[in-house]
Amino acid sequence: MNYSISEKYNTVVVTLKGKVMGGPTATEYLEEIKSLIDQGKTNVVADLSKVNFMNSSGLGILITSLTSLRNAGGDLKICGASDRIESLLMVTKLITVFKHFRTLDEAVAAYQE
């Protein structure tokens, strides 16, 4: 799993890439989320458009991020999930927990409302 972080209209965009399956990069990613919270940046969008595989550990990473951000008064929205990832979210019923958008622009715009 690789990721990059950018900002767009006062929203942090985390672009996840490759296989999201936990491991050392996941720990690094969760530390990054904590750092963002410490900086008061709690409106985050996880862009999944470059993710080609996700397992239960990957879902756990998203859930941990969501919980941390919501506890800090923010939120984690997801966008760009492939049909395969969207099916995984449906089967696990997590599609009802995350606010999901087709595009990054739609997800970022949702924070502006």
Side-chain angles (χ1 to χ4, degrees), residues 12-45:
V12 176
V13 178
V14 180
T15 304
L16 299 169
K17 301 170 190 154
K19 296 179 179 180
V20 180
M21 306 187 309
T25 311
T27 305
E28 182 184 307
Y29 164 80
L30 292 172
E31 288 298 321
E32 196 81 49
I33 293 293
K34 287 179 188 163
S35 174
L36 290 169
I37 291 168
D38 291 343
Q39 296 171 47
K41 298 177 180 181
T42 56
N43 290 343
V44 179
V45 174

Side-chain angles (χ1 to χ4, degrees), residues 36-61:
L36 290 169
I37 291 168
D38 291 343
Q39 296 171 47
K41 298 177 180 181
T42 56
N43 290 343
V44 179
V45 174
D47 182 354
L48 305 179
S49 61
K50 293 177 174 52
V51 173
N52 53 28
F53 179 82
M54 183 180 292
N55 65 7
S56 59
S57 295
L59 291 174
I61 294 165

